[in-house]
Amino acid sequence: MTSPTKEPRPVKPLSDIATITVRELRPILRGPLFLVVSLIQPLVFLGLFGPLLLGSVDEAVFGPGGALQWFVPGIMVMISLVGTSTMGSNLLTEVQTGAHERLLVTPLTRGSLIIGRALKEFAPLVVQALVIILVAMPFGFSPDPLGSVLGVLLLGVLGIGLGALSYALAIAVRHQEWAFWGIQQTLLFPVLILSGILLPVDSGPDWLAAVAAFNPLTYVVEAERALFAGELLTARVGWGALAALLVAALGLYVGVRSVRRSPV
């Protein structure tokens, strides 16, 4: 007697990841106010810090294109860093309300709970980056079309990794919300300053440049500036892409490991 033939079923982890991603995107689609609010800080830096930078630093330091061509790609990396690093707070809210524990006991694979959340970060980052580009263009920002597309994609990859790390931090300190914000703020500003987003690191002391060399965001920022300037196949772009991929891989690994070890 032959056994009945089993019908092929879709790969469960992929369907679970898609389920979580859609679940996380729905609040943004229903209430896009979050995207608007998250753009306030980058726009303030662009509108207020940009002119100060232009007036206080020698134009030759910025290279071809001037200060705006140098500053705007950095601001977009800042969006990725600041926005995604706070996303763990959403998971903390779910932990406090019991929603996270209810997800843990569903048939969904645990890894999908982090991977799906992290992939969600890609969509809002792309929208925010496009808004920054459109706002900056009337003031003289001239992005390369193909380089802009690649730069936005690179920004999304970085955001996935940073978002996953933020969720992993939330799981680690899930019963101490103050610890999440303390660690996030403690790490945010050194990483921000040492990446050369706001000021050229090369103009500082040698020890500052040496420390910045160990910051993955330094290479991503340089790659973004190269891509938006039309330098597509350069060492700067290669190192930046590698750094973004490493951050994404590390973030997803740490995040998945954290949620798998999380108690029900």
Side-chain angles (χ1 to χ4, degrees):
M1 184 176 179
T2 58
S3 58
T5 304
K6 293 183 179 180
E7 296 183 1
R9 294 186 299 175
V11 181
K12 189 176 189 304
L14 295 180
S15 62
D16 289 351
I17 290 171
T19 299
I20 295 298
T21 302
V22 172
R23 172 184 181 269
E24 295 297 314
L25 282 173
R26 280 175 180 165
I28 298 177
L29 296 176
R30 291 172 181 170
L33 181 62
F34 163 76
L35 294 179
V36 177
V37 172
S38 61
L39 278 170
I40 292 176
Q41 187 182 47
L43 289 173
V44 168
F45 270 90
L46 186 62
L48 301 181
F49 192 85
L52 289 174
L53 183 69
L54 180 62
S56 59
V57 180
D58 187 355
E59 190 77 11
V61 173
F62 303 113
L68 201 60
Q69 205 72 18
W70 182 92
F71 190 57
V72 173
I75 286 294
M76 286 190 283
V77 178
M78 179 181 171
I79 292 174
S80 180
L81 174 62
V82 175
T84 56
S85 66
T86 63
M87 287 297 100
S89 62
N90 296 336
L91 183 55
L92 283 175
T93 301
E94 292 195 3
V95 169
Q96 293 168 359
T97 59
H100 179 62
E101 282 71 15
R102 288 194 291 272
L103 279 176
L104 289 177
V105 298
T106 64
L108 294 168
T109 56
R110 287 203 170 191
S112 68
L113 301 180
I114 288 295
I115 298 174
R117 288 176 183 271
L119 291 178
K120 178 267 298 182
E121 305 300 334
F122 191 91
L125 279 175
V126 169
V127 174
Q128 291 169 333
L130 291 175
V131 171
I132 292 293
I133 292 172
L134 293 175
V135 169
M137 285 180 66
F139 298 95
F141 180 56
S142 302
D144 178 79
L146 180 56
S148 299
V149 173
L150 296 176
V152 171
L153 292 176
L154 183 62
L155 198 69
V157 172
L158 176 68
I160 289 172
L162 293 174
L165 288 173
S166 181
Y167 291 124
L169 175 60
I171 292 174
V173 299
R174 56 188 174 277
H175 300 304
Q176 298 173 310
E177 184 177 359
W178 62 267
F180 174 84
W181 292 110
I183 295 172
Q184 187 265 347
Q185 291 294 311
T186 300
L187 295 176
L188 174 66
F189 290 102
V191 171
L192 183 69
I193 294 170
L194 290 172
S195 63
I197 289 176
L198 301 177
L199 290 169
V201 176
D202 293 341
S203 61
D206 293 339
W207 68 264
L208 191 65
V211 175
F214 292 93
N215 182 4
L217 258 69
T218 300
Y219 303 97
V220 177
V221 171
E222 288 298 316
E224 292 287 343
R225 287 171 179 150
L227 286 170
F228 279 95
E231 303 173 20
L232 305 182
L233 300 176
T234 64
R236 288 203 298 170
V237 173
W239 283 114
L242 178 61
L245 288 171
L246 288 176
V247 170
L250 175 64
L252 292 174
Y253 171 77
V254 173
V256 170
R257 191 167 181 264
S258 298
V259 77
R260 283 177 176 170
R261 293 189 171 192
S262 174
V264 178

